[in-house]
Coordinates of all heavy atoms in Angstrom, one line a residue:
M1 N 19.3 0.9 -10.8 CA 18.4 1.8 -11.6 C 17.0 1.1 -11.7 O 16.9 -0.1 -11.8 CB 19.0 1.9 -13.0 CG 18.4 2.8 -13.9 SD 19.6 3.6 -15.0 CE 18.5 4.6 -15.8
I2 N 16.0 2.0 -11.6 CA 14.6 1.5 -11.5 C 14.2 0.7 -12.7 O 13.5 -0.3 -12.6 CB 13.7 2.7 -11.2 CG1 12.3 2.1 -10.9 CG2 13.6 3.7 -12.4 CD1 12.2 1.5 -9.6
L3 N 14.6 1.2 -13.9 CA 14.2 0.4 -15.1 C 14.8 -1.0 -15.2 O 14.1 -1.9 -15.6 CB 14.6 1.2 -16.4 CG 13.9 2.6 -16.6 CD1 14.4 3.3 -17.8 CD2 12.4 2.4 -16.7
E4 N 16.0 -1.1 -14.7 CA 16.6 -2.4 -14.7 C 15.9 -3.3 -13.7 O 15.7 -4.5 -13.9 CB 18.1 -2.3 -14.3 CG 18.9 -1.7 -15.5 CD 20.4 -1.4 -15.0 OE1 20.7 -1.7 -13.9 OE2 21.1 -0.9 -15.9
A5 N 15.6 -2.8 -12.5 CA 14.9 -3.5 -11.5 C 13.5 -4.0 -12.0 O 13.1 -5.1 -11.7 CB 14.7 -2.7 -10.2
I6 N 12.8 -3.1 -12.7 CA 11.5 -3.5 -13.2 C 11.7 -4.6 -14.3 O 11.0 -5.6 -14.2 CB 10.8 -2.3 -13.8 CG1 10.4 -1.3 -12.7 CG2 9.5 -2.7 -14.6 CD1 9.9 0.0 -13.2
Y7 N 12.6 -4.4 -15.2 CA 12.9 -5.4 -16.2 C 13.2 -6.7 -15.7 O 12.8 -7.8 -16.1 CB 14.0 -4.9 -17.2 CG 14.3 -5.8 -18.3 CD1 13.5 -5.9 -19.4 CD2 15.4 -6.7 -18.2 CE1 13.7 -6.8 -20.4 CE2 15.7 -7.6 -19.2 CZ 14.8 -7.7 -20.3 OH 15.1 -8.6 -21.3
N8 N 14.1 -6.7 -14.6 CA 14.6 -8.0 -14.0 C 13.6 -8.6 -13.0 O 13.9 -9.6 -12.4 CB 15.9 -7.8 -13.4 CG 17.0 -7.5 -14.4 OD1 17.0 -8.1 -15.5 ND2 17.9 -6.5 -14.1
G9 N 12.5 -8.0 -12.8 CA 11.5 -8.5 -11.9 C 11.9 -8.3 -10.4 O 11.5 -9.2 -9.6
E10 N 12.7 -7.3 -10.1 CA 13.2 -7.1 -8.8 C 12.5 -5.9 -8.1 O 13.0 -5.5 -7.0 CB 14.7 -6.8 -8.8 CG 15.5 -8.0 -9.4 CD 16.9 -7.6 -9.8 OE1 17.2 -6.4 -9.8 OE2 17.7 -8.5 -10.1
F11 N 11.5 -5.4 -8.6 CA 10.8 -4.2 -8.1 C 9.5 -4.6 -7.5 O 8.5 -4.8 -8.2 CB 10.6 -3.1 -9.2 CG 10.1 -1.8 -8.8 CD1 10.8 -1.0 -8.0 CD2 8.8 -1.4 -9.1 CE1 10.4 0.2 -7.5 CE2 8.3 -0.2 -8.7 CZ 9.1 0.6 -7.9
Y12 N 9.4 -4.6 -6.2 CA 8.2 -5.0 -5.4 C 8.0 -4.0 -4.3 O 8.2 -4.4 -3.1 CB 8.4 -6.4 -4.8 CG 8.6 -7.5 -5.8 CD1 9.9 -8.0 -6.1 CD2 7.6 -8.0 -6.6 CE1 10.1 -9.0 -7.0 CE2 7.8 -9.0 -7.5 CZ 9.0 -9.5 -7.7 OH 9.2 -10.5 -8.7
P13 N 7.6 -2.8 -4.6 CA 7.5 -1.8 -3.5 C 6.4 -2.2 -2.4 O 6.6 -1.9 -1.3 CB 7.1 -0.5 -4.2 CG 6.6 -0.9 -5.5 CD 7.3 -2.2 -5.9
S14 N 5.4 -2.9 -2.9 CA 4.3 -3.3 -1.9 C 4.8 -4.3 -0.9 O 4.3 -4.4 0.2 CB 3.1 -3.8 -2.6 OG 3.4 -5.0 -3.3
E15 N 5.9 -5.0 -1.2 CA 6.4 -6.0 -0.3 C 7.7 -5.5 0.4 O 8.0 -6.0 1.5 CB 6.9 -7.3 -1.1 CG 5.7 -8.0 -1.8 CD 6.1 -9.1 -2.7 OE1 7.3 -9.4 -2.7 OE2 5.3 -9.7 -3.3
K16 N 8.4 -4.5 -0.1 CA 9.6 -4.1 0.5 C 9.5 -2.8 1.2 O 10.4 -2.5 2.1 CB 10.7 -4.0 -0.6 CG 11.0 -5.3 -1.2 CD 12.1 -5.2 -2.2 CE 12.4 -6.6 -2.7 NZ 13.5 -6.6 -3.7
V17 N 8.5 -2.0 0.9 CA 8.4 -0.6 1.6 C 7.4 -0.7 2.7 O 6.3 -1.1 2.5 CB 7.9 0.4 0.5 CG1 7.8 1.8 1.2 CG2 8.9 0.5 -0.6
V18 N 7.9 -0.5 3.9 CA 7.1 -0.6 5.1 C 7.1 0.8 5.8 O 8.2 1.4 6.0 CB 7.6 -1.6 6.1 CG1 6.7 -1.7 7.3 CG2 7.6 -3.0 5.4
P19 N 5.9 1.4 6.1 CA 5.9 2.6 6.8 C 6.7 2.6 8.1 O 6.7 1.6 8.8 CB 4.4 2.9 7.1 CG 3.7 2.0 6.1 CD 4.6 0.8 5.9
T20 N 7.3 3.7 8.5 CA 8.1 3.7 9.7 C 7.6 4.9 10.6 O 8.3 5.2 11.6 CB 9.6 4.0 9.4 OG1 9.8 5.2 8.6 CG2 10.2 2.8 8.6
S21 N 6.5 5.4 10.3 CA 6.0 6.5 11.1 C 5.6 6.0 12.5 O 5.2 4.9 12.7 CB 4.8 7.2 10.5 OG 3.6 6.3 10.6
P22 N 5.7 6.9 13.5 CA 5.3 6.5 14.9 C 3.9 6.0 15.0 O 3.6 5.1 15.7 CB 5.6 7.7 15.7 CG 6.6 8.5 15.0 CD 6.4 8.2 13.5
A23 N 3.0 6.7 14.2 CA 1.6 6.3 14.2 C 1.4 4.9 13.7 O 0.6 4.1 14.2 CB 0.8 7.3 13.4
Y24 N 2.1 4.5 12.6 CA 2.0 3.2 12.1 C 2.5 2.1 13.0 O 1.8 1.1 13.3 CB 2.8 3.1 10.7 CG 2.8 1.8 10.1 CD1 1.7 1.3 9.4 CD2 3.8 0.9 10.2 CE1 1.6 0.1 8.8 CE2 3.8 -0.4 9.6 CZ 2.7 -0.8 8.9 OH 2.7 -2.0 8.3
I25 N 3.6 2.4 13.6 CA 4.2 1.4 14.6 C 3.3 1.3 15.8 O 3.1 0.1 16.2 CB 5.7 1.9 15.0 CG1 6.6 1.8 13.7 CG2 6.2 1.1 16.1 CD1 7.9 2.5 13.9
E26 N 2.8 2.3 16.3 CA 1.9 2.3 17.4 C 0.6 1.5 17.1 O 0.1 0.7 17.9 CB 1.5 3.7 17.9 CG 0.8 3.7 19.2 CD 1.5 3.1 20.4 OE1 2.7 3.2 20.5 OE2 0.8 2.5 21.2
A27 N 0.1 1.7 15.9 CA -1.1 1.0 15.5 C -0.9 -0.5 15.4 O -1.7 -1.3 15.8 CB -1.6 1.5 14.1
L28 N 0.3 -0.9 14.9 CA 0.6 -2.3 14.8 C 0.7 -2.9 16.2 O 0.2 -4.0 16.5 CB 2.0 -2.5 14.1 CG 1.9 -2.4 12.6 CD1 3.3 -2.6 12.0 CD2 0.9 -3.4 12.0
K29 N 1.4 -2.2 17.1 CA 1.5 -2.7 18.5 C 0.1 -2.8 19.1 O -0.2 -3.8 19.8 CB 2.4 -1.8 19.3 CG 3.8 -1.8 19.0 CD 4.6 -0.8 19.8 CE 6.1 -0.8 19.4 NZ 6.9 0.2 20.2
T30 N -0.7 -1.9 18.9 CA -2.1 -1.9 19.5 C -2.9 -3.1 18.9 O -3.5 -3.8 19.7 CB -2.8 -0.6 19.2 OG1 -2.1 0.5 19.8 CG2 -4.2 -0.6 19.8
C31 N -2.8 -3.3 17.6 CA -3.4 -4.5 17.0 C -3.0 -5.8 17.6 O -3.8 -6.7 17.8 CB -3.2 -4.4 15.5 SG -4.1 -3.2 14.6
E32 N -1.7 -5.9 17.8 CA -1.1 -7.1 18.3 C -1.6 -7.3 19.8 O -2.0 -8.5 20.1 CB 0.4 -7.0 18.4 CG 1.1 -8.2 18.8 CD 2.6 -8.1 18.7 OE1 3.1 -7.6 17.7 OE2 3.3 -8.6 19.7
K33 N -1.7 -6.3 20.6 CA -2.2 -6.4 21.9 C -3.7 -6.8 21.9 O -4.1 -7.7 22.7 CB -2.0 -5.1 22.7 CG -0.6 -4.8 23.1 CD -0.5 -3.5 23.8 CE 1.0 -3.1 24.0 NZ 1.1 -1.8 24.6
L34 N -4.5 -6.2 21.0 CA -5.9 -6.5 20.9 C -6.1 -8.0 20.5 O -7.0 -8.7 21.0 CB -6.6 -5.6 20.0 CG -6.7 -4.1 20.5 CD1 -7.2 -3.2 19.3 CD2 -7.7 -4.1 21.6
M35 N -5.3 -8.4 19.5 CA -5.4 -9.8 19.1 C -5.1 -10.8 20.2 O -5.7 -11.8 20.4 CB -4.5 -10.1 17.9 CG -5.0 -9.4 16.6 SD -6.6 -9.9 16.0 CE -6.2 -11.5 15.4
E36 N -4.1 -10.4 21.0 CA -3.7 -11.3 22.2 C -4.9 -11.4 23.2 O -5.2 -12.4 23.7 CB -2.5 -10.7 22.9 CG -1.2 -11.0 22.1 CD 0.0 -10.3 22.7 OE1 -0.1 -9.8 23.9 OE2 1.1 -10.2 22.0
Q37 N -5.5 -10.2 23.4 CA -6.7 -10.2 24.3 C -7.8 -11.0 23.8 O -8.4 -11.8 24.5 CB -7.1 -8.8 24.6 CG -6.2 -7.9 25.4 CD -6.7 -6.5 25.6 OE1 -7.8 -6.2 25.2 NE2 -5.9 -5.6 26.2
L38 N -8.1 -10.9 22.5 CA -9.1 -11.7 21.9 C -8.9 -13.2 21.9 O -9.8 -14.0 22.1 CB -9.4 -11.2 20.5 CG -10.1 -9.8 20.3 CD1 -10.0 -9.3 18.9 CD2 -11.5 -9.9 20.9
S39 N -7.6 -13.5 21.7 CA -7.3 -14.9 21.7 C -7.5 -15.6 23.1 O -7.8 -16.8 23.2 CB -5.8 -15.2 21.3 OG -4.9 -14.8 22.3
R40 N -7.3 -14.8 24.1 CA -7.6 -15.3 25.5 C -9.1 -15.3 25.8 O -9.5 -16.2 26.6 CB -6.9 -14.4 26.5 CG -5.3 -14.6 26.5 CD -4.7 -13.9 27.7 NE -5.0 -12.5 27.8 CZ -4.2 -11.5 27.3 NH1 -3.1 -11.8 26.6 NH2 -4.6 -10.3 27.4
R41 N -9.9 -14.4 25.3 CA -11.3 -14.3 25.7 C -12.2 -15.1 24.8 O -13.3 -15.4 25.3 CB -11.7 -12.8 25.6 CG -11.0 -11.9 26.6 CD -11.5 -10.5 26.5 NE -10.7 -9.6 27.4 CZ -11.0 -8.3 27.6 NH1 -12.0 -7.8 26.9 NH2 -10.3 -7.6 28.4
L42 N -11.9 -15.3 23.6 CA -12.8 -15.9 22.6 C -12.5 -17.4 22.5 O -11.4 -17.9 22.8 CB -12.7 -15.3 21.3 CG -13.0 -13.8 21.1 CD1 -12.7 -13.3 19.7 CD2 -14.5 -13.6 21.5
S43 N -13.6 -18.1 22.1 CA -13.4 -19.6 21.8 C -12.5 -19.7 20.6 O -12.3 -18.7 19.8 CB -14.8 -20.2 21.5 OG -15.3 -19.7 20.3
K44 N -12.0 -20.8 20.3 CA -11.1 -21.0 19.1 C -11.9 -20.7 17.9 O -11.3 -20.1 16.9 CB -10.6 -22.5 19.1 CG -9.5 -22.7 20.1 CD -9.0 -24.1 20.0 CE -7.9 -24.3 21.1 NZ -7.2 -25.6 21.0
E45 N -13.2 -21.1 17.8 CA -13.9 -20.9 16.6 C -14.2 -19.4 16.4 O -14.1 -18.9 15.3 CB -15.3 -21.6 16.7 CG -15.2 -23.1 16.7 CD -14.9 -23.7 18.1 OE1 -15.0 -22.9 19.1 OE2 -14.5 -24.8 18.2
D46 N -14.5 -18.7 17.5 CA -14.7 -17.2 17.3 C -13.4 -16.5 17.0 O -13.4 -15.6 16.2 CB -15.3 -16.6 18.6 CG -16.8 -17.0 18.8 OD1 -17.4 -17.5 17.8 OD2 -17.3 -16.9 19.9
Y47 N -12.3 -16.9 17.6 CA -11.0 -16.3 17.3 C -10.6 -16.5 15.8 O -10.1 -15.7 15.2 CB -9.9 -16.8 18.2 CG -8.6 -16.0 18.1 CD1 -8.5 -14.7 18.4 CD2 -7.5 -16.7 17.5 CE1 -7.3 -14.0 18.2 CE2 -6.4 -16.0 17.3 CZ -6.3 -14.7 17.7 OH -5.1 -14.0 17.5
A48 N -11.0 -17.7 15.3 CA -10.7 -18.0 13.9 C -11.5 -17.1 13.0 O -10.9 -16.6 12.0 CB -11.0 -19.5 13.6
L49 N -12.7 -16.7 13.4 CA -13.4 -15.7 12.6 C -12.8 -14.3 12.7 O -12.7 -13.6 11.7 CB -14.9 -15.6 13.2 CG -15.8 -16.8 12.9 CD1 -17.1 -16.6 13.7 CD2 -16.1 -16.9 11.4
V50 N -12.2 -14.0 13.8 CA -11.5 -12.7 13.9 C -10.3 -12.7 13.0 O -10.0 -11.7 12.3 CB -11.1 -12.4 15.4 CG1 -10.2 -11.2 15.5 CG2 -12.4 -12.2 16.3
E51 N -9.6 -13.8 13.0 CA -8.4 -13.9 12.2 C -8.8 -13.8 10.7 O -8.1 -13.2 9.9 CB -7.6 -15.2 12.4 CG -6.9 -15.2 13.7 CD -6.2 -16.6 14.0 OE1 -6.8 -17.6 13.8 OE2 -5.0 -16.5 14.4
E52 N -9.9 -14.5 10.3 CA -10.3 -14.4 8.9 C -10.8 -13.0 8.6 O -10.5 -12.5 7.5 CB -11.5 -15.4 8.7 CG -12.0 -15.4 7.3 CD -10.9 -15.8 6.2 OE1 -9.9 -16.5 6.6 OE2 -11.1 -15.5 5.1
L53 N -11.4 -12.3 9.5 CA -11.8 -10.9 9.3 C -10.5 -10.0 9.1 O -10.5 -9.2 8.2 CB -12.6 -10.4 10.5 CG -12.9 -8.9 10.5 CD1 -13.8 -8.5 9.4 CD2 -13.5 -8.5 11.8
Q54 N -9.5 -10.3 9.9 CA -8.3 -9.5 9.7 C -7.6 -9.8 8.4 O -7.2 -8.9 7.7 CB -7.3 -9.9 10.8 CG -6.1 -9.0 10.9 CD -5.2 -9.4 12.0 OE1 -5.1 -10.5 12.4 NE2 -4.5 -8.4 12.6
T55 N -7.6 -11.1 7.9 CA -7.1 -11.4 6.6 C -7.8 -10.8 5.5 O -7.2 -10.2 4.6 CB -7.1 -13.0 6.5 OG1 -6.3 -13.6 7.5 CG2 -6.6 -13.4 5.1
Q56 N -9.1 -10.8 5.5 CA -9.9 -10.2 4.5 C -9.8 -8.7 4.5 O -9.8 -8.1 3.4 CB -11.4 -10.7 4.6 CG -11.6 -12.1 4.4 CD -11.1 -12.6 3.0 OE1 -11.3 -12.0 2.0 NE2 -10.4 -13.7 3.0
S57 N -9.7 -8.1 5.6 CA -9.5 -6.7 5.7 C -8.2 -6.3 5.1 O -8.1 -5.3 4.4 CB -9.6 -6.2 7.2 OG -9.4 -4.9 7.3
S58 N -7.1 -7.1 5.4 CA -5.8 -6.8 4.8 C -5.8 -6.9 3.3 O -5.2 -6.1 2.6 CB -4.8 -7.8 5.3 OG -4.6 -7.5 6.7
I59 N -6.6 -7.9 2.8 CA -6.7 -8.0 1.3 C -7.4 -6.8 0.7 O -6.9 -6.2 -0.3 CB -7.5 -9.3 0.9 CG1 -6.6 -10.5 1.3 CG2 -7.9 -9.3 -0.5 CD1 -7.3 -11.8 1.2
A60 N -8.5 -6.4 1.4 CA -9.2 -5.2 0.9 C -8.3 -3.9 0.9 O -8.3 -3.1 0.0 CB -10.5 -5.0 1.7
Q61 N -7.6 -3.8 2.0 CA -6.7 -2.6 2.1 C -5.6 -2.6 1.0 O -5.2 -1.6 0.5 CB -6.1 -2.5 3.5 CG -7.1 -2.2 4.6 CD -6.5 -2.3 6.0 OE1 -5.4 -2.9 6.2 NE2 -7.2 -1.8 6.9
G62 N -5.1 -3.8 0.7 CA -4.1 -3.9 -0.3 C -4.7 -3.6 -1.7 O -4.0 -2.9 -2.5
E63 N -5.9 -4.0 -1.9 CA -6.5 -3.6 -3.2 C -6.7 -2.1 -3.3 O -6.5 -1.5 -4.3 CB -7.9 -4.4 -3.3 CG -7.7 -5.9 -3.5 CD -7.1 -6.2 -4.9 OE1 -7.5 -5.6 -5.9 OE2 -6.2 -7.1 -4.9
E64 N -7.2 -1.5 -2.2 CA -7.4 -0.1 -2.1 C -6.1 0.7 -2.4 O -6.0 1.6 -3.1 CB -8.0 0.3 -0.8 CG -8.4 1.7 -0.7 CD -9.1 2.1 0.6 OE1 -9.3 1.2 1.4 OE2 -9.3 3.3 0.8
S65 N -5.0 0.2 -1.7 CA -3.7 0.8 -1.9 C -3.2 0.8 -3.4 O -2.7 1.7 -3.9 CB -2.7 0.2 -1.0 OG -3.0 0.5 0.3
E66 N -3.5 -0.4 -4.0 CA -3.1 -0.6 -5.4 C -3.8 0.4 -6.3 O -3.3 1.0 -7.2 CB -3.3 -2.0 -5.8 CG -2.9 -2.3 -7.3 CD -3.2 -3.7 -7.7 OE1 -3.4 -4.6 -6.9 OE2 -3.2 -3.9 -9.0
Y67 N -5.1 0.5 -6.0 CA -6.0 1.4 -6.8 C -5.5 2.9 -6.7 O -5.3 3.6 -7.6 CB -7.4 1.3 -6.4 CG -8.3 2.2 -7.2 CD1 -8.7 1.9 -8.5 CD2 -8.8 3.4 -6.6 CE1 -9.5 2.7 -9.2 CE2 -9.6 4.2 -7.3 CZ -10.0 3.9 -8.6 OH -10.8 4.7 -9.3
H68 N -5.2 3.3 -5.4 CA -4.7 4.6 -5.2 C -3.4 4.9 -5.8 O -3.2 6.0 -6.4 CB -4.6 4.9 -3.7 CG -5.9 5.0 -3.0 ND1 -6.1 4.8 -1.7 CD2 -7.2 5.4 -3.5 CE1 -7.4 5.0 -1.3 NE2 -8.0 5.3 -2.4
F69 N -2.5 3.9 -5.8 CA -1.2 4.0 -6.5 C -1.4 4.2 -8.0 O -0.8 5.1 -8.6 CB -0.4 2.8 -6.3 CG 0.8 2.7 -7.1 CD1 2.0 3.5 -6.8 CD2 0.9 2.0 -8.3 CE1 3.1 3.5 -7.6 CE2 2.0 2.0 -9.1 CZ 3.1 2.7 -8.7
K70 N -2.3 3.4 -8.6 CA -2.5 3.6 -10.0 C -3.1 4.9 -10.4 O -2.6 5.6 -11.4 CB -3.5 2.5 -10.5 CG -2.9 1.1 -10.5 CD -3.9 0.1 -10.9 CE -3.4 -1.3 -10.9 NZ -4.4 -2.3 -11.2
V71 N -4.1 5.4 -9.6 CA -4.7 6.7 -9.9 C -3.6 7.8 -9.7 O -3.5 8.7 -10.5 CB -5.9 6.9 -9.0 CG1 -6.4 8.4 -9.1 CG2 -7.0 6.0 -9.4
G72 N -2.9 7.7 -8.6 CA -1.9 8.8 -8.3 C -0.8 8.8 -9.4 O -0.3 9.8 -9.8
F73 N -0.3 7.6 -9.8 CA 0.7 7.5 -10.8 C 0.3 8.1 -12.1 O 1.0 8.8 -12.8 CB 1.2 6.1 -10.9 CG 2.4 5.9 -11.8 CD1 3.7 6.0 -11.2 CD2 2.4 5.6 -13.1 CE1 4.8 5.9 -11.9 CE2 3.5 5.5 -13.9 CZ 4.8 5.6 -13.3
S74 N -1.0 7.7 -12.5 CA -1.6 8.2 -13.7 C -1.7 9.7 -13.7 O -1.4 10.4 -14.7 CB -2.9 7.5 -14.0 OG -2.8 6.1 -14.1
A75 N -2.1 10.2 -12.6 CA -2.3 11.7 -12.5 C -0.9 12.4 -12.6 O -0.8 13.4 -13.2 CB -2.9 12.1 -11.1
G76 N 0.1 11.8 -12.0 CA 1.4 12.3 -12.1 C 1.9 12.4 -13.6 O 2.5 13.4 -14.0
L77 N 1.6 11.3 -14.3 CA 2.0 11.3 -15.7 C 1.3 12.4 -16.5 O 1.8 13.0 -17.4 CB 1.8 9.9 -16.3 CG 2.7 8.8 -15.8 CD1 2.3 7.5 -16.4 CD2 4.2 9.1 -16.1
L78 N 0.0 12.5 -16.2 CA -0.8 13.6 -16.9 C -0.2 15.0 -16.6 O -0.2 15.8 -17.5 CB -2.3 13.5 -16.5 CG -3.0 12.2 -17.0 CD1 -4.4 12.2 -16.4 CD2 -3.1 12.3 -18.5
V79 N 0.2 15.2 -15.3 CA 0.7 16.5 -15.0 C 2.0 16.7 -15.8 O 2.3 17.8 -16.3 CB 1.0 16.6 -13.5 CG1 1.9 17.7 -13.1 CG2 -0.3 16.7 -12.7
Q80 N 2.9 15.7 -15.8 CA 4.1 15.8 -16.6 C 3.8 16.1 -18.1 O 4.5 16.9 -18.7 CB 4.9 14.5 -16.5 CG 6.2 14.5 -17.2 CD 7.0 13.2 -17.1 OE1 6.5 12.2 -16.7 NE2 8.2 13.3 -17.5
Q81 N 2.9 15.4 -18.6 CA 2.5 15.6 -20.0 C 2.1 17.0 -20.3 O 2.5 17.7 -21.2 CB 1.4 14.6 -20.5 CG 1.0 14.7 -21.9 CD -0.1 13.7 -22.3 OE1 -0.7 13.1 -21.4 NE2 -0.3 13.6 -23.6
E82 N 1.2 17.5 -19.4 CA 0.7 18.9 -19.5 C 1.8 19.9 -19.4 O 1.9 20.9 -20.1 CB -0.3 19.1 -18.4 CG -1.0 20.5 -18.6 CD -2.1 20.7 -17.6 OE1 -2.9 19.7 -17.3 OE2 -2.2 21.8 -17.1
A83 N 2.8 19.6 -18.5 CA 3.9 20.5 -18.3 C 4.8 20.6 -19.5 O 5.2 21.7 -20.0 CB 4.7 20.1 -17.1
V84 N 5.0 19.4 -20.2 CA 5.8 19.4 -21.4 C 5.1 20.2 -22.5 O 5.7 20.9 -23.2 CB 6.1 17.9 -21.8 CG1 6.6 17.9 -23.2 CG2 7.0 17.2 -20.8
E85 N 3.8 20.0 -22.6 CA 3.0 20.7 -23.6 C 3.1 22.3 -23.4 O 3.2 23.0 -24.4 CB 1.6 20.3 -23.6 CG 1.4 18.9 -24.2 CD 0.0 18.3 -24.0 OE1 -0.9 19.0 -23.4 OE2 -0.2 17.1 -24.3
Q86 N 3.0 22.7 -22.1 CA 3.1 24.1 -21.8 C 4.5 24.7 -22.2 O 4.6 25.8 -22.7 CB 2.8 24.4 -20.4 CG 1.4 24.1 -20.0 CD 0.4 25.0 -20.7 OE1 0.6 26.2 -20.8 NE2 -0.7 24.4 -21.2
V87 N 5.5 23.9 -21.9 CA 6.9 24.4 -22.2 C 7.0 24.4 -23.8 O 7.6 25.4 -24.3 CB 7.9 23.4 -21.6 CG1 9.3 23.7 -22.2 CG2 8.0 23.5 -20.1
K88 N 6.5 23.5 -24.5 CA 6.5 23.6 -26.0 C 5.8 24.8 -26.5 O 6.3 25.5 -27.4 CB 5.9 22.3 -26.6 CG 6.8 21.1 -26.5 CD 6.1 19.9 -27.2 CE 6.9 18.7 -27.0 NZ 6.2 17.5 -27.6
K89 N 4.7 25.1 -25.9 CA 3.9 26.3 -26.3 C 4.8 27.6 -26.1 O 4.8 28.5 -26.9 CB 2.6 26.4 -25.6 CG 1.5 25.5 -26.0 CD 0.3 25.7 -25.3 CE -0.8 24.7 -25.6 NZ -2.0 24.9 -24.8
I90 N 5.4 27.7 -25.0 CA 6.2 28.8 -24.6 C 7.4 28.9 -25.6 O 7.8 30.0 -26.1 CB 6.7 28.7 -23.2 CG1 5.5 28.9 -22.2 CG2 7.8 29.8 -22.9 CD1 5.9 28.6 -20.8
N91 N 8.0 27.8 -25.9 CA 9.2 27.8 -26.8 C 8.9 28.0 -28.2 O 9.7 28.5 -29.0 CB 10.0 26.4 -26.7 CG 10.7 26.3 -25.3 OD1 11.0 27.3 -24.7 ND2 10.9 25.1 -24.9
D92 N 7.6 27.7 -28.6 CA 7.2 27.9 -30.0 C 6.8 29.4 -30.3 O 6.7 29.8 -31.4 CB 6.0 27.1 -30.3 CG 6.4 25.6 -30.4 OD1 7.6 25.3 -30.6 OD2 5.5 24.7 -30.4
K93 N 6.7 30.2 -29.3 CA 6.3 31.6 -29.5 C 7.5 32.4 -29.9 O 8.6 32.3 -29.7 CB 5.7 32.2 -28.2 CG 4.3 31.6 -27.9 CD 3.7 32.2 -26.7 CE 2.3 31.6 -26.5 NZ 1.7 32.2 -25.3

């Protein structure tokens, strides 16, 4: 049950949920191939910069995903609240 998982600290969707779409898988494969090419072509110092760029980009994307989740979840709760209020109005008539 979701409430038990949250209470017990076992709910980590950002760590456990991984997209499985063909586009996602293909993008990962392409990134891996590009990183391999760069590792062969660049100096160690330049490749280290590319790795740091990739790390920082991942952090930024994670932050963006978290923000979108919060906004989407909040909007869903507002929709639910509005729906409950509408049903109450109908039942009160």
Side-chain angles (χ1 to χ4, degrees):
M1 188 149 181
I2 189 71
L3 293 177
E4 291 173 0
I6 292 170
Y7 179 79
N8 293 319
E10 300 166 349
F11 186 68
Y12 301 100
S14 64
E15 295 174 7
K16 295 183 179 183
V17 178
V18 179
T20 58
S21 71
Y24 178 79
I25 293 168
E26 187 62 33
L28 284 181
K29 288 179 184 178
T30 301
C31 287
E32 187 177 316
K33 289 176 186 175
L34 290 169
M35 289 297 286
E36 287 174 12
Q37 288 178 8
L38 287 170
S39 73
R40 289 191 302 269
R41 294 181 185 185
L42 297 175
S43 68
K44 287 184 180 184
E45 294 83 14
D46 287 343
Y47 186 70
L49 287 173
V50 171
E51 288 180 312
E52 182 61 22
L53 173 64
Q54 188 178 35
T55 298
Q56 295 303 316
S57 179
S58 292
I59 292 169
Q61 289 171 348
E63 291 292 316
E64 186 177 353
S65 292
E66 180 181 343
Y67 180 77
H68 288 156
F69 170 80
K70 289 176 181 178
V71 170
F73 191 86
S74 297
L77 290 176
L78 290 172
V79 167
Q80 181 182 11
Q81 181 181 12
E82 186 176 320
V84 168
E85 290 171 2
Q86 292 299 317
V87 169
K88 283 182 183 177
K89 285 181 185 178
I90 291 169
N91 288 338
D92 288 344
K93 289 183 179 182

